[in-house]
Amino acid sequence: MVGCEVGLDNTLSNEQHAQIQAHIQAHQHVPGGLMPLLHAIQDDIGYVPEVVYPEIAKALALSVAEVHGVVTFYHHFRTHPIGKHVLQICRAESCQSMGSEKLEAELKAKLGVDYHQTTADGSVTLLPVYCLGNCGCSPAVMLDDEVYGRMNTEKVTELIAEVCHG
Amino acid sequence: MVKVYVPIDSTALSLGAERTAKKIVQEAQTRGVNITLVRNGSRGLFWLEPLVEVETAQGRVAFGPVQPSDVLSLFEAGFTEALSDSAKAHPLYLGLTDDLAWLKKQQRLTFARVGITDPLSLEEYVAHDGYKGLKNALAMSGADIVKAVTDSGLRGRGGAAFPTGIKWNTVLNAPAEQKYVVCNADEGDSGTYSDRMIVEDDPFVLIEGMTIAGIAVGATQGYIYLRSEYPHALKTLNEAIRKANLAGYLGENIQGSGRTFYLEVRRAAGAYVCGEETSLLESLEGKRGLVRFKPPLPAIEGLFGKPTIVNNVISLATVPIILDKGAQYYADYGMGRSRGTLPIQLAGNLKQTGLVELAFGATLRELLYDFGGGSASGRPIRAVQVGGPLGAYLPESQFDTPLDYEEFSKIWAVLGHGGIVAFDESVDMAKMARYAFEFCAVESCGKCTPCRIGSTRGVEVMDKIVLGKNHPQNVQLLRDLSDTMLNGSLCALGGMTPYPVLSALNHFPEDFGLSNKEAAA
């Protein structure tokens, strides 16, 4: 078993809602404040809940469609909760030249998920990424906020075990 | 008290530098060895990372690559007295860092301090010639600063190679009560990491460059648009900005000059197209990163409709040395119309990867073999992609091309941001051509049809070619489609995707099921 136990709950707690409101207040007068606001929300909550689009739109004098448009334009933002940990595998050319296709196939099989999916136990969400700026040490992956170079399936599996159980 | 250096650069960290650093501190304490641990940037020799250095009377001595499991034996060899015979006998001993051939052969101007200093020490930055450029700039008129940048011959290092001074001059002469300086740190090209290294390993040089830009053109607010994939860079940059503010190098009345420049980091959100300057500006304004029509140029109507300098990290980080040592000093490096130096990033299937800053003019072959040491796999290098995912693939017959914007243009290739990705003979170039379309489809902003639709049609055509379906017709279709994207796209994403596609087709026709003769037809 590669992962660790955690549930995926998409109902907002009162505390989370209060956090979001505080972020909206802090950003509503910042020039071009929507992007930093979305980052702040996702950093705290793990995703940008669609239910708060109307509040964001009202505070920033935008339409709900505009908020939706921005959230969905950027690969980084997501509208649903994800696994406890995020594993990003670099799909770009440099990593391909060092065998990243084999790595991604093996990791998908090992985790039992495809890209944009979360392991059955909710521990790891697998995402593709196009360059981590670690091209001198391909293939590269990023697990949560740490980048790792010269990876293979065994090493990544160990890293996952460490963050889940370590 | 001996100084021991362990890099804090992302690449060093990705190879275990944090654990190595912890183990060194732990082992020193256990043994009662008195050390000061300094977290420096990376020297850019990635096959030797984590590269540990020890200060001596003769200079810094390097050991590498040092894994946590090597630390015990290093202490047993007395590596903190790095000039001792026992330290020299250690298998990871590399000699004086400055004598390493990789570094000796380089001309490090933009990267002069990278790997040497603690990135967040403003004192060290100043001690190593930092803020000399700003000091000079504060005594000059805006027009003279712009003239120095123009005379240096500096061209946009993000990839477009547009003369930086001309861009600045347009902003200087655009009347407005508010102007902006925007740094494009959305380094999305595969095979590139020089922006990340500057931001993580010498952030003050970027801050200084942007401050000079602001003073030159009369802009009081700067933004750095930084990739969300670079969390370490974000932390370093925010801390560096905080320190620069505290020390009076940012904010109001910079160094008592009466000049004002505020600087803020904005995080990108994983859209490659936001590396395109107008898409970046839309994103900074809090919108979808849709490419704008040009004109108007950002220099006239940029961020929030105001005159804006948009420059790449490397361009801005090169400004301080130009203002410090003079335009001519910088222009004396290079060849033809490519003046100065290019921080080249060796990546992919190479034995020795890392950062090589050289005057323009070195050949690809020198980089791949003299610096790179050939392929990592030991198999012949078959293809090299220069300039990121929109750059052409070059075959061995073109490896003697000098790194120069115009020379590359002559062979229908680009230098771009200076990334070089090597592939060995196992590469399937038809697959790489298909990938180029796939990447374009994933990253297209969707504003123009050739890019939005053409990229998906390109994937489909490539699939048919690989399967051998209606082969001659589909190859012709691929060329037609490429022609439409080249000439009809709004920006370089759609407009340059044909570079990797057609270069793969033209140089490696056998991978597309064609003979050389068929490909030529």
Side-chain angles (χ1 to χ4, degrees):
Chain A
M1 190 66 219
V2 180
C4 51
E5 296 276 329
V6 61
L8 293 184
D9 187 358
N10 68 348
T11 49
L12 282 183
S13 67
N14 287 339
E15 189 197 336
Q16 285 176 320
H17 201 216
Q19 278 177 308
I20 292 174
Q21 279 175 330
H23 287 312
I24 292 174
Q25 269 181 12
H27 288 89
Q28 63 180 341
H29 301 301
V30 174
L34 183 56
M35 292 280 286
L37 170 60
L38 296 175
H39 273 297
I41 293 172
Q42 184 161 302
D43 285 350
D44 265 2
I45 313 293
Y47 65 106
V48 183
E50 287 172 297
V51 292
V52 299
Y53 287 0
E55 286 170 71
I56 296 173
K58 196 173 172 211
L60 274 67
L62 300 167
S63 70
V64 173
E66 282 170 315
V67 176
H68 172 81
V70 171
V71 173
T72 52
F73 182 85
Y74 297 95
H75 302 305
H76 179 78
F77 297 128
R78 48 195 174 238
T79 55
H80 298 284
I82 51 155
K84 194 173 177 194
H85 302 284
V86 178
L87 177 67
Q88 301 183 81
I89 306 176
C90 179
R91 292 199 65 211
E93 290 88 344
S94 175
C95 288
Q96 288 183 44
S97 79
M98 292 299 282
S100 63
E101 283 183 308
K102 181 168 175 273
L103 178 69
E104 61 184 334
E106 288 177 0
L107 285 171
K108 280 178 187 178
K110 192 131 200 164
L111 294 167
V113 293
D114 203 340
Y115 281 129
H116 305 288
Q117 293 179 348
T118 302
T119 50
D121 65 359
S123 63
V124 179
T125 298
L126 189 66
L127 296 174
V129 66
Y130 296 88
C131 197
L132 293 164
N134 198 31
C135 321
C137 302
S138 294
V141 306
M142 190 175 240
L143 184 56
D144 297 331
D145 268 355
E146 290 301 324
V147 62
Y148 299 92
R150 297 193 202 121
M151 284 288 110
N152 58 41
T153 306
E154 291 67 40
K155 287 185 190 172
V156 179
T157 310
E158 274 174 39
L159 291 171
I160 294 171
E162 265 176 51
V163 296
C164 287
H165 306 295
Chain B
M1 186 72 85
V2 59
K3 274 187 185 168
V4 177
Y5 296 80
V6 182
I8 198 162
D9 175 273
S10 278
T11 287
L13 294 176
S14 85
L15 300 172
E18 195 60 38
R19 289 178 195 209
T20 299
K22 277 190 185 140
K23 185 79 184 164
I24 287 173
V25 170
Q26 197 184 43
E27 200 59 35
Q29 276 171 356
T30 311
R31 292 167 183 262
V33 180
N34 212 353
I35 65 160
T36 303
L37 183 75
V38 180
R39 303 304 298 270
N40 57 328
S42 170
R43 297 271 194 163
L45 304 84
F46 291 163
W47 74 102
L48 296 174
E49 290 289 2
L51 183 86
V52 174
E53 292 176 90
V54 178
E55 195 177 57
T56 75
Q58 289 176 29
R60 277 150 70 166
V61 170
F63 298 85
V66 180
Q67 293 302 322
S69 55
D70 299 315
V71 170
L72 202 65
S73 70
L74 280 170
F75 273 95
E76 273 164 13
F79 88 115
T80 52
E81 284 172 42
L83 298 173
S84 65
D85 289 341
S86 60
K88 284 180 183 171
H90 194 279
L92 299 182
Y93 173 84
L94 298 165
L96 289 170
T97 316
D98 289 340
D99 286 348
L100 295 172
W102 174 276
L103 289 171
K104 261 193 142 165
K105 287 188 284 184
Q106 300 192 32
Q107 290 103 39
R108 287 201 167 185
L109 305 183
T110 309
F111 276 69
R113 273 170 303 269
V114 168
I116 295 173
T117 53
D118 169 352
L120 286 172
S121 167
L122 189 51
E123 297 71 33
E124 277 191 41
Y125 180 70
V126 172
H128 286 81
D129 296 337
Y131 278 121
K132 282 188 174 173
L134 178 67
K135 196 180 169 198
N136 290 341
L138 285 171
M140 294 161 73
S141 70
D144 284 344
I145 298 172
V146 172
K147 186 175 184 300
V149 173
T150 307
D151 291 347
S152 75
L154 179 66
R155 292 162 73 179
R157 296 285 186 257
F162 186 81
T164 306
I166 293 180
K167 207 182 247 188
W168 287 26
N169 198 47
T170 309
V171 179
L172 174 72
N173 293 319
E177 74 282 10
Q178 178 69 60
K179 300 178 186 179
Y180 296 101
V181 178
V182 170
C183 171
N184 184 346
D186 196 31
E187 181 177 55
D189 287 356
S190 172
T192 68
Y193 42 80
S194 60
D195 292 352
R196 180 187 59 68
M197 286 184 76
I198 284 291
V199 170
E200 289 182 351
D201 300 349
D202 196 19
F204 292 116
V205 78
L206 174 60
I207 296 171
E208 182 182 352
M210 291 186 74
T211 310
I212 293 169
I215 284 165
V217 302
T220 52
Q221 176 70 51
Y223 291 101
I224 300 169
Y225 187 81
L226 179 71
R227 301 189 77 203
S228 56
E229 292 86 347
Y230 288 176
H232 290 293
L234 177 69
K235 273 184 232 156
T236 307
L237 201 46
N238 276 326
E239 181 60 12
I241 289 173
R242 194 187 67 81
K243 287 188 172 179
N245 271 307
L246 277 177
Y249 283 108
L250 281 175
E252 281 172 26
N253 196 19
I254 292 169
Q255 298 299 300
S257 66
R259 308 301 296 269
T260 298
F261 190 69
Y262 298 103
L263 187 55
E264 191 184 320
V265 184
R266 287 287 173 93
R267 273 158 85 189
Y272 176 78
V273 75
C274 289
E276 196 281 336
E277 61 177 1
T278 63
S279 163
L280 187 158
L281 293 174
E282 289 287 301
S283 186
L284 270 181
E285 292 182 8
K287 301 174 189 159
R288 293 163 69 88
L290 295 186
V291 173
R292 293 178 185 171
F293 290 103
K294 284 195 270 194
L297 294 169
I300 309 281
E301 280 182 44
L303 186 64
F304 303 117
K306 304 295 180 195
T308 304
I309 288 180
V310 187
N311 280 151
N312 167 257
V313 172
I314 302 297
S315 312
L316 289 162
T318 302
V319 166
I321 197 166
I322 293 169
L323 270 293
D324 174 15
K325 303 211 167 163
Q328 197 55 48
Y329 175 85
Y330 189 74
D332 282 344
Y333 292 89
M335 68 175 276
R337 288 178 51 223
S338 303
R339 306 315 311 173
T341 58
L342 181 68
I344 298 147
Q345 303 122 85
L346 295 183
N349 199 327
L350 288 175
K351 203 171 283 167
Q352 300 178 163
T353 57
L355 194 286
V356 182
E357 184 175 352
L358 286 176
F360 286 92
T363 66
L364 262 182
R365 198 178 297 280
E366 288 171 59
L367 285 152
L368 295 170
Y369 296 98
D370 297 351
F371 282 96
S375 76
S377 60
R379 299 163 77 170
I381 298 175
R382 181 162 181 245
V384 172
Q385 188 178 33
V386 184
L390 306 175
Y393 286 101
L394 309 181
E396 215 259 337
S397 61
Q398 294 183 327
F399 287 179
D400 292 313
T401 312
L403 270 76
D404 166 269
Y405 294 121
E406 279 65 44
E407 290 298 317
F408 264 61
S409 178
K410 278 183 205 161
I411 59 164
W412 207 67
V414 292
L415 274 183
H417 187 46
I420 297 179
V421 179
F423 294 80
D424 74 8
E425 59 183 6
S426 67
V427 67
D428 176 347
M429 295 307 296
K431 211 157 103 182
M432 299 317 295
R434 183 192 187 279
Y435 172 81
F437 280 126
E438 187 189 351
F439 178 73
C440 182
V442 171
E443 299 297 342
S444 176
C445 83
K447 184 156 178 171
C448 73
T449 316
C451 176
R452 183 183 68 245
I453 308 285
S455 52
T456 297
R457 292 291 94 84
V459 172
E460 294 163 1
V461 172
M462 277 311 306
D463 283 341
K464 286 174 192 161
I465 289 173
V466 170
L467 289 172
K469 276 188 189 167
N470 298 332
H471 205 263
Q473 290 92 331
N474 274 315
V475 171
Q476 187 53 48
L477 193 59
L478 179 69
R479 290 192 181 279
D480 281 355
L481 175 65
S482 296
D483 185 57
T484 301
M485 290 178 73
L486 262 172
N487 295 301
S489 301
L490 198 50
C491 83
L493 178 51
M496 286 178 64
T497 293
Y499 275 69
V501 172
L502 292 181
S503 59
L505 176 65
N506 293 335
H507 299 308
F508 306 94
E510 60 276 20
D511 288 15
F512 293 70
L514 296 167
S515 67
N516 284 317
K517 210 172 129 193
E518 285 170 315

